Amino acid sequence: MNEMKKPDTVSDETLSRLNAQLADLMAHEEAGGDDLDAQLLPLFLQEAGELCDRIADSLTAGDSLSRLLHTLKGSARMTGVMRIGHLAHEMESCSPARAALLTEYLQQIYVILDELHTLPAALPPMEVNLKDRLAKLVLHTAKESGKQVHLNYSGIALPEKLLVPLEHLLRNAIVHGIEDEITRINSGKSAAGEIVLTVQHEGCELLVQLGDDGRGLDLQALRIQAVKRGLMKSDEWPAEDWLAQLIFIPGLSTVEQVSELAGRGVGMDVVKHEIAALGGQINVISSAGTGAQFTIRLPLSPVCRRQGNVE
């Protein structure tokens, strides 16, 4: 294992405080704070090390720092490393101007990662199936949200490069889209929500569609936020499809209460950023009371585009 990049050194007083905080976190873990998934832990440790190095280089860059922290928090919570999920959440709450405090939190995360790196050697080797990983994410997020949600996956194997965007989309669908059991029953729906994920080739593109049967996007709330941020005039009434795309605007959120699961308007920004980095596009359509569907299109290989077929 390569030595991980560490933030700048801190004072003895700061380290003493960090050790005290870490002791509290360790006590919380012993009481059930962490619920580690042995299958996902090795992959998380690899991802978290890379993310933390990028976070260390982005402590004063608000937008990129928010995206990185949001990704780290989601992966940590899915793997059951709740201590890191909590610390990433606390870092999200800090202003980029508070570099010293951010560095302290990041130092704690590195300490926990060093501790966790001693565990995989004692675990049997396991192959991480991306489909299973998403299923675990759905179960975990639904449990934390107090909801029942089923994931219906069909089609070809999921490319690893789409894992992070789809994790965000699934978490968003559960937290924001799927209603609680009582609301669903009162609306004439089944108690359990359903998310349908399909992955297939279409011509020279990879087509990924993810839809839920929840409440749909709150287009009126999106419009209000767009007016407040000067993205449109108060007397403008654009088409619903246009309003739906506003969820990809960085920092735009219709959630009033921020929690560790959602509320900062970062997740959808992460999704669009990751998809664009892969040369793809993402769009969303929504129907009130019926749900929302996201469509991702990614180009396949240059050979496919030249020959007009899929390899």
Side-chain angles (χ1 to χ4, degrees):
M1 178 184 71
N2 295 329
E3 183 178 355
M4 290 187 295
K5 178 180 178 181
K6 302 293 192 298
D8 294 337
T9 57
V10 294
S11 66
D12 291 340
E13 180 182 353
T14 297
L15 286 176
S16 177
R17 183 167 67 255
L18 288 172
N19 287 332
Q21 292 173 335
L22 184 58
D24 290 340
L25 288 168
M26 291 292 289
H28 179 61
E29 179 195 11
E30 292 175 359
D34 278 355
D35 183 18
L36 300 180
D37 187 315
Q39 183 181 21
L40 299 183
L41 182 59
L43 182 59
F44 167 74
L45 290 176
Q46 177 183 348
E47 293 175 342
E50 297 172 356
L51 282 169
C52 286
D53 288 347
R54 293 170 63 188
I55 289 170
D57 293 331
S58 305
L59 287 180
T60 58
D63 289 345
S64 59
L65 178 61
S66 294
R67 286 195 295 266
L68 293 169
L69 288 172
H70 196 75
T71 300
L72 176 63
K73 180 179 70 175
S75 295
R77 295 177 68 82
M78 181 177 62
T79 310
V81 190
M82 309 309 290
R83 293 175 295 162
I84 291 181
H86 174 72
L87 288 168
H89 175 69
E90 291 299 313
M91 291 181 72
E92 281 187 301
S93 303
C94 291
S95 165
R98 305 185 67 184
L101 182 57
L102 288 169
T103 299
E104 290 183 18
Y105 282 131
L106 185 57
Q107 184 71 36
Q108 291 184 48
I109 292 176
Y110 273 117
V111 171
I112 296 171
L113 287 176
D114 284 341
E115 168 204 328
L116 293 176
H117 267 287
T118 66
L119 299 180
L123 298 174
M126 297 182 182
E127 180 181 353
V128 178
N129 183 291
L130 299 185
K131 178 181 175 181
D132 290 343
R133 174 165 173 167
L134 293 181
K136 289 176 181 291
L137 168 67
V138 170
L139 288 173
H140 181 77
T141 307
K143 180 179 179 180
E144 289 194 322
S145 302
K147 301 174 182 178
Q148 298 182 51
V149 183
H150 298 148
L151 175 63
N152 184 352
Y153 182 110
S154 64
I156 62 177
L158 175 69
E160 186 173 353
K161 60 187 178 182
L162 282 178
L163 183 59
V164 170
L166 287 177
E167 286 176 351
H168 284 296
L169 287 175
L170 286 168
R171 193 176 296 111
N172 184 76
I174 297 168
V175 176
H176 296 297
I178 302 294
E179 310 93 332
D180 60 78
E181 181 177 341
I182 295 177
T183 301
R184 290 182 61 86
I185 292 175
N186 290 340
S187 300
K189 298 181 179 180
S190 61
E194 183 177 21
I195 299 176
V196 177
L197 173 61
T198 60
V199 185
Q200 60 187 333
H201 289 147
E202 186 177 88
C204 283
E205 292 181 321
L206 181 69
L207 176 65
V208 180
Q209 294 178 300
L210 187 150
D212 65 73
D213 66 346
R215 60 173 57 89
L217 302 179
D218 189 340
L219 299 180
Q220 178 61 20
L222 285 169
R223 182 181 178 279
I224 292 173
Q225 291 299 318
V227 171
K228 287 182 178 179
R229 296 186 54 174
L231 300 175
M232 57 182 292
K233 297 179 181 179
S234 59
D235 59 352
E236 287 185 284
W237 296 91
E240 291 187 352
D241 288 349
W242 187 90
L243 286 173
Q245 311 311 312
L246 290 172
I247 63 171
F248 299 115
I249 300 295
L252 192 150
S253 176
T254 60
V255 179
E256 296 181 359
Q257 183 176 2
V258 174
S259 70
E260 292 199 23
L261 285 176
R264 284 193 169 77
V266 178
M268 292 297 99
D269 176 32
V270 171
V271 171
K272 187 168 185 178
H273 176 79
E274 295 286 343
I275 296 300
L278 296 171
Q281 296 181 334
I282 180 170
N283 291 287
V284 58
I285 58 175
S286 175
S287 178
T290 303
Q293 177 167 294
F294 293 85
T295 300
I296 299 172
R297 293 183 180 274
L298 289 181
L300 295 176
S301 70
V303 173
C304 168
R305 291 195 292 272
R306 287 197 304 268
Q307 295 180 348
N309 54 41
V310 177
E311 292 182 308

